[in-house]
């Protein structure tokens, strides 16, 4: 890969090459393990980092690139000619441990570093060839895996500190060499250092004072590929795919035309968009995966999904999930969403619309580049006990036909600072680092999930920042550096925001809306107050922008719906007695009316309030009577004849046990 002045290099390489006269050491950090694009004579190519570094270095007079790491020690990575390679192999014989375990080993490594920065000037001054003394060698040293040289950059051991301090001193003492003759630089003439290039995953993986403590050391970021670079890479990989006659490529080595231009542009664009957030190397690996599975290039988005998630199945791409949504919408189906969530027609209809959009892959379709956002996002708001959690469960059952696909996080447990560590994993060095995050681990285990974040307003602000990343990019990186993708998940947030407010004077909670408020008015009020909360109270308007129009408002339950919920819950109690104890439960009409009146008196707690009253007014008295009664055999009928509440607040429920025609 010979370079000329017309060639276009990655910006970080141009920055390094252009400053070799003023900086003796560099810290390259970021996307260092990736492939990088180079344009030579109008043609794009991609190469590994060492190649992209070596070729421009050779063009400006460097004779070799030396690589060292903790495993292999020092060795020649590239050389301009065989003589230089042989000479370096002889000069590099010495320390194989880097930076060394003992004081003697570390000193030998530092001596070798000093020799590299001077080009072995003293040693070569004593060597002769054809009657001439040998000039210092123009060499660049790359220290690989620099992030693994220390356990904790903020808590260096004495040996680690001394080693990096010696490297800092070496940067100050280094002198530039004239590029071509190898003689020490003459004042006023340009010269270049023999640089030491540290390769680190992150800028802070090595001591911060190594960079900030000297003008001779420069930190250079290696960025992730942008959209243009991914498009260029997709085009190059398409050409390679055709060259090797991949399935569905439309051509081969002897094919002069290949696929038509429009189809090529479409498949390249789809591949580039699907690879959003991926490295160029990951794109290359995705193509290898597609070829190994016999997939056509047009199916590269599927190959990318398999590469990301590690699973081949995709329930979203099958017609079955559409049929499930249609069945879940049918009121005639006992397991349908309208049958499970009562009295919330508007909320259910909007939720089903969002699910249909998710099944068709149209979430975020209005954006120029929707990226890899979650399949669906829902924000359930409204009074407590109105069916928000039940609807989330119904969504999981409809989409994936499994309770295991439903994952719930109670955000009241994540209200403390640093509680985000539980979701995504603790940073290195902290307790629980090895365990990983509860959220990220669960999604990697099964990427096709409904995830419920209950009572989101109680979460710490640090967690809200994590949600921003998930909603925008569809991914999270945990404390161990492992990326988790949420592109196949449906995220549901629930909240009671918008229905109550805190009085600034008394600090008392007061209702903003009340039962009987027309739904349209209630919906507008709740949405406005939810928006104000995110913008003014917690200062996260961008989070509300990501949620957008996916706020689903639940209504208070009506009298008719409250009675239906009452009947359903009483039916559950009857089934439990029948299955668990072989007892029949009957409630006389007058007792039922009294019990219903008690259960539906308070509309503020919704269906959950009905259940709480049933516990105190029915289940507790039943338990008292059954516990005190002698052994009851099958066929016994439990009859509730009266329900009264005394002045003291105690519930007096009359229960009669009958076996056949006789009272027990």
């Amino acid at each position: 890969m010979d370079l000329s002045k017309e060639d276009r290099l990655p910006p970080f390489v141009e920055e390094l090459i252009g400053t070799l006269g003023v900086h003796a050491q560099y810290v390259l950090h970021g996307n260092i393990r990736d492939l990088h694009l180079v344009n030579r004579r109008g043609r794009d190519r991609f190469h590994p980092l060492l190649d992209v570094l070596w070729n421009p270095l050779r063009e400006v007079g460097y004779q070799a690139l030396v690589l060292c790491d903790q495993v292999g020690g020092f060795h020649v990575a590239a050389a301009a000619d065989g003589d230089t390679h042989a000479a370096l192999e002889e000069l590099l014989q010495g320390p194989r441990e880097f930076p060394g375990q003992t004081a003697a080993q570390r000193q030998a490594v530092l001596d070798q570093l000093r020799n590299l920065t001077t080009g072995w000037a003293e040693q070569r001054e004593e060597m002769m060839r054809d009657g001439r003394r040998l000039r210092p060698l123009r060499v660049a040293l790359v220290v690989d895996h620099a992030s693994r040289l220390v356990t904790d950059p903020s808590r260096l051991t004495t040996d680690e500190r001394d080693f990096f301090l010696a490297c800092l001193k070496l940067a100050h003492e280094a002198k530039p060499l004239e590029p071509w003759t190898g003689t020490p630089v003459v004042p006023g003439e340009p010269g270049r250092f023999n640089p030491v290039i540290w390769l680190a995953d992150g800028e802070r993986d090595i001591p911060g004072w190594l960079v900030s403590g000297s003008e001779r050391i420069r930190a250079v970021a290696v960025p992730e590929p942008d959209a243009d670079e991914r498009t260029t890479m997709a085009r190059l990989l398409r050409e390679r795919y055709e060259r090797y006659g991949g399935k569905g490529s439309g051509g081969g080595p002897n094919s002069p035309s290949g696929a038509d231009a429009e189809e090529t542009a479409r498949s390249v664009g789809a591949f580039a968009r699907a690879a959003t957030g991926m490295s160029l190397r990951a794109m290359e690996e995705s193509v290898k995966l597609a070829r190994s599975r016999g997939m056509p290039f047009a199916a590269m988005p599927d190959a990318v999904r398999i590469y990301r998630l590690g699973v081949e199945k995709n329930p979203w791409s099958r017609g079955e999930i559409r049929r499930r949504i249609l069945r879940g919408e049918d009121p005639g189906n006992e397991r349908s969403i309208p049958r499970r969530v009562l009295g919330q027609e508007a909320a259910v209809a909007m939720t089903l619309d969002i699910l249909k959009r998710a099944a068709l892959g149209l979430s975020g379709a209005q954006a120029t580049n929707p990226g890899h956002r979650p399949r669906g996002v829902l924000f359930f708001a409204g009074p407590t006990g109105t069916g928000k959690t039940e609807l989330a469960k119904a969504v999981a059952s409809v989409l994936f036909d499994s309770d295991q696909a439903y994952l719930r996080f109670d955000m009241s447990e994540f209200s403390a600072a640093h509680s985000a560590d539980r979701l995504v994993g603790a940073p290195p060095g902290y307790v629980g680092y090895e365990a990983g995050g509860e959220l990220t681990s669960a999604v990697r285990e099964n990427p096709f999930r409904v995830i419920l974040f209950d009572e989101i307003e109680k979460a710490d602000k640090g967690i809200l920042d994590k949600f921003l990343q998930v909603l925008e990019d569809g991914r999270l990186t945990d404390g161990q550096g492992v990326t988790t993708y949420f592109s196949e998940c449906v995220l549901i947030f629930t909240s009671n925001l918008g229905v109550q407010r805190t009085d600034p004077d008394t600090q008392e909670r007061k209702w903003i809306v009340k039962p009987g408020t027309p739904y349209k008015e209630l919906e507008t009020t709740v949405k406005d107050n939810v928006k104000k909360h995110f913008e003014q109270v917690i200062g996260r308007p961008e989070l509300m922008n990501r949620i957008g129009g996916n706020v689903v408002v639940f209504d208070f339950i009506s009298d008719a719906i409250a009675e239906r919920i009452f009947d359903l819950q009483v039916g559950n109690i009857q089934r439990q007695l029948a299955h668990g104890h072989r007892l029949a439960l009957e409630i006389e009409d007058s007792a039922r009316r009294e019990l219903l009146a008690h259960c539906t008196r308070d509309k503020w707690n919704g269906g959950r309030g009905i259940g709480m009253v049933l516990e105190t007014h029915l289940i507790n008295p039943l338990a008292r009577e059954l516990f005190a009664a002698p052994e009851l055999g099958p066929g016994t009928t439990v009859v509730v004849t009266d329900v009264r509440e005394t002045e003291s607040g105690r519930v007096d429920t009359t229960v009669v046990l009958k076996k056949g025609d006789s009272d027990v």
Side-chain angles (χ1 to χ4, degrees):
M1 187 180 73
D2 295 330
L3 299 173
S4 65
K5 293 182 179 179
E6 292 77 20
D7 292 328
R8 186 173 67 249
L9 297 170
F12 72 91
V13 178
E14 292 181 347
E15 179 180 354
L16 188 150
I17 298 299
T19 57
L20 285 169
V22 293
H23 297 298
Q25 295 183 28
Y26 296 85
V27 178
L28 293 189
H29 60 89
N31 192 30
I32 56 174
R33 304 295 168 197
D34 202 1
L35 301 170
H36 302 276
L37 291 170
V38 173
N39 183 280
R40 178 178 179 268
R41 298 176 183 174
R43 182 179 178 183
D44 292 306
R45 297 181 180 180
F46 55 88
H47 299 274
L49 178 66
L50 290 184
D51 288 350
V52 174
L53 287 175
W54 163 237
N55 286 283
L57 285 170
R58 182 177 57 180
E59 286 293 307
V60 295
Y62 286 84
Q63 297 168 277
L65 184 69
V66 175
L67 184 68
C68 77
D69 56 38
Q70 299 95 307
V71 177
F74 295 87
H75 61 276
V76 181
D81 53 59
D83 290 341
T84 301
H85 191 284
L88 277 172
E89 288 289 355
E90 183 178 350
L91 291 168
L92 290 173
Q93 290 180 4
R96 286 295 176 184
E97 292 191 15
F98 185 91
Q101 299 295 319
T102 66
Q105 289 173 336
R106 286 191 294 275
Q107 186 57 51
V109 166
L110 290 171
D111 291 342
Q112 194 72 282
L113 289 176
R114 187 172 292 105
N115 288 333
L116 279 157
T117 58
T118 62
W120 289 273
E122 294 181 3
Q123 293 90 328
R124 291 177 66 81
E125 182 72 18
E126 301 172 358
M127 299 179 184
M128 300 287 291
R129 179 178 295 170
D130 299 330
R132 294 178 299 174
R133 286 189 171 86
L134 299 180
R135 297 179 305 221
L137 290 169
R138 296 293 300 155
V139 178
L141 171 67
V142 173
V143 182
D144 203 359
H145 304 292
S147 296
R148 304 295 176 262
L149 291 176
V150 297
T151 303
D152 186 348
S154 63
R155 296 182 178 88
L156 298 179
T157 66
T158 302
D159 291 338
E160 291 169 345
R161 182 203 62 197
D162 291 346
F163 173 75
F164 281 105
L165 185 58
C167 292
L168 179 63
K169 183 179 178 182
L170 183 63
H172 280 285
E173 295 174 347
K175 299 191 183 308
L177 301 178
E178 202 284 327
W180 296 104
T181 65
T183 58
V185 65
V186 178
E189 293 187 7
R192 294 187 177 93
F193 290 96
N194 274 5
V196 176
I197 304 170
W198 306 83
L199 299 186
D201 298 326
E203 185 178 5
R204 298 181 181 179
D205 288 351
I206 60 174
W209 49 262
L210 182 68
V211 177
S212 61
S214 174
E215 294 295 331
R216 287 286 184 87
I217 304 177
R218 185 184 187 99
V220 180
V222 182
E224 299 286 338
D226 57 25
D228 290 339
E229 289 172 323
R230 289 194 303 273
T231 301
T232 300
M233 187 67 173
R235 176 175 53 80
L236 294 175
L237 291 172
R238 167 81 190 205
E239 293 172 0
R240 174 188 286 187
Y241 204 81
E242 290 184 351
R243 191 178 310 122
Y244 292 104
K247 181 179 178 181
S249 64
N254 301 318
S255 174
S257 58
D260 61 70
E262 184 177 349
E263 175 59 29
T264 297
R266 186 183 300 112
S267 60
V268 165
F271 183 17
R273 288 190 297 273
T276 299
M278 292 177 67
S279 66
L280 302 186
R281 187 178 295 278
M283 293 180 67
E284 182 185 41
E285 295 301 317
S286 297
V287 171
K288 292 179 181 178
L289 184 149
R291 290 191 62 200
S292 68
R293 293 170 179 258
M295 301 170 68
F297 193 87
M300 279 310 302
D302 290 332
V304 168
R305 180 187 54 77
I306 297 172
Y307 182 84
R308 285 182 188 272
L309 304 179
V311 293
E312 186 169 2
K313 69 169 187 175
N314 183 11
W316 293 104
S317 66
R318 303 172 185 170
E320 175 62 24
I321 205 165
R322 300 187 186 185
R323 290 190 290 272
R324 287 179 187 166
I325 293 176
L326 291 174
R327 288 197 301 269
E329 188 178 26
D330 182 10
N333 177 15
E334 290 185 359
R335 295 175 56 84
S336 70
I337 293 180
R339 294 280 290 271
R340 292 184 60 174
V341 183
L342 302 177
Q344 302 295 342
E345 290 78 10
V348 168
M350 184 173 180
T351 298
L352 285 167
D353 285 344
I354 293 174
L355 295 184
K356 293 172 184 177
R357 184 177 72 196
L360 294 172
L362 295 177
S363 297
Q366 72 279 5
T368 303
N369 185 8
H372 296 277
R373 297 171 184 172
R375 278 279 179 167
V377 176
L378 292 154
F379 190 102
F380 292 166
T384 184
T386 53
K388 297 189 292 292
T389 302
E390 183 63 25
L391 182 53
K393 294 179 181 178
V395 167
S397 178
V398 166
L399 290 180
F400 303 119
D401 198 26
S402 170
D403 292 340
Q404 299 299 320
Y406 168 77
L407 186 65
R408 178 179 177 270
F409 291 93
D410 186 343
M411 301 316 295
S412 62
E413 300 177 6
F414 297 86
S415 58
H418 308 300
S419 56
D421 294 347
R422 279 185 56 191
L423 289 180
V424 301
Y430 286 77
V431 175
Y433 162 67
E434 300 84 359
E438 295 176 19
L439 173 62
T440 51
S441 298
V443 173
R444 284 200 300 274
E445 180 183 337
N446 180 9
F448 304 97
R449 283 187 180 272
V450 172
I451 307 175
L452 173 64
F453 300 101
D454 226 350
E455 298 185 282
I456 183 61
E457 72 275 9
K458 297 181 180 178
D460 179 67
K461 290 185 179 181
I463 289 182
L464 298 180
D465 294 335
K466 299 294 183 184
F467 289 150
L468 274 174
Q469 185 179 349
V470 172
L471 294 173
E472 181 64 24
D473 301 326
R475 59 176 178 160
L476 272 180
T477 301
D478 64 16
Q480 300 181 7
V482 179
T483 300
T484 302
Y485 295 95
F486 293 78
S487 54
E488 308 302 330
C489 294
V490 173
L491 306 184
I492 301 178
F493 303 92
T494 72
S495 173
N496 295 326
L497 288 173
V499 298
Q500 285 183 312
R501 68 178 180 86
T502 302
D503 189 286
D505 298 324
T506 64
Q507 297 301 309
E508 293 182 0
R509 297 286 291 171
K510 295 185 176 181
W511 288 90
I512 301 172
V513 293
K514 59 183 180 180
T517 304
Y519 179 77
K520 195 64 181 176
E521 179 183 339
L522 181 143
E523 182 185 34
T524 301
T525 302
V526 170
K527 285 185 175 181
D528 288 345
N529 283 284
V530 168
K531 183 178 180 181
K532 288 178 182 177
H533 180 84
F534 280 102
E535 291 179 351
Q536 301 174 11
V537 178
I538 63 175
R540 293 292 190 277
E542 61 274 20
L543 184 58
M544 200 67 235
N545 289 338
R546 301 301 191 280
I547 294 171
N550 297 326
V551 178
V552 180
V553 178
F554 284 65
D555 197 359
F556 287 99
I557 61 173
S558 64
D559 291 338
I561 295 301
E563 185 171 358
R564 288 181 61 187
I565 294 173
F566 170 83
D567 288 336
L568 286 172
Q569 295 191 2
V570 169
N572 292 337
I573 299 171
Q574 291 172 324
R575 280 193 298 273
Q576 183 67 22
L577 283 173
H579 294 160
H581 302 277
R582 298 184 181 181
L583 302 176
L585 173 63
E586 294 180 0
I587 304 175
E588 293 185 351
D589 290 344
S590 59
R592 180 188 179 280
R593 286 193 297 271
E594 288 293 328
L595 191 57
L596 176 61
H598 285 299
C599 288
T600 58
R601 184 182 301 164
D602 184 2
K603 299 288 196 325
W604 304 96
N605 289 321
R608 189 174 291 113
I610 294 172
M612 290 188 295
V613 175
L614 278 175
E615 276 192 344
T616 59
H617 287 53
L618 179 60
I619 297 177
N620 288 351
L622 281 175
R624 283 198 303 267
E625 294 296 330
L626 295 177
F627 204 80
E631 190 70 24
L632 301 175
T636 300
T637 301
V638 183
V639 183
V640 178
T641 60
D642 191 21
V643 177
R644 293 192 307 274
E645 187 173 334
T646 64
E647 292 182 0
S648 64
R650 177 181 173 86
V651 179
D652 188 3
T653 301
T654 303
V655 178
V656 178
L657 304 178
K658 294 182 178 181
K659 186 172 184 180
D661 296 328
S662 303
D663 293 351
V664 179

